[in-house]
Amino acid sequence: MMKMRFHGIVSTDCIQMSAISDNYNLSEALKLSINADPDMLIFSNQQSPIWQNPADIIDLIYTPV
């Protein structure tokens, strides 16, 4: 694995923004994002056409693939 020697916090962009949601469903976007090893996953719930319960998103994160 390549080391970037970056010592700050790494966060995703909003997982529900159109650039992501137009190409991946939420489960796929979460899997790809988590595999990139960020410190924070960002959800705004303002980009999605339907409101999603945060508890449902947490369940998706912990669901084995």
Side-chain angles (χ1 to χ4, degrees), residues 8-39:
I9 293 173
V10 176
S11 70
T12 65
D13 214 336
C14 177
I15 301 296
Q16 297 167 315
M17 68 184 215
S18 297
I20 296 172
S21 64
D22 287 351
N23 295 287
Y24 304 96
N25 66 42
L26 183 57
S27 181
E28 294 169 325
L30 282 169
K31 179 181 175 185
L32 292 168
S33 298
I34 290 169
N35 285 337
D37 199 26
D39 298 302

Side-chain angles (χ1 to χ4, degrees), residues 17-63:
M17 68 184 215
S18 297
I20 296 172
S21 64
D22 287 351
N23 295 287
Y24 304 96
N25 66 42
L26 183 57
S27 181
E28 294 169 325
L30 282 169
K31 179 181 175 185
L32 292 168
S33 298
I34 290 169
N35 285 337
D37 199 26
D39 298 302
M40 292 186 296
L41 296 170
I42 305 298
F43 295 90
S44 68
N45 256 335
Q46 296 177 10
Q47 299 292 322
S48 180
I50 57 168
W51 183 83
Q52 291 179 299
N53 185 337
D56 294 339
I57 294 171
I58 292 168
D59 289 343
L60 275 175
I61 291 170
Y62 285 103
T63 300

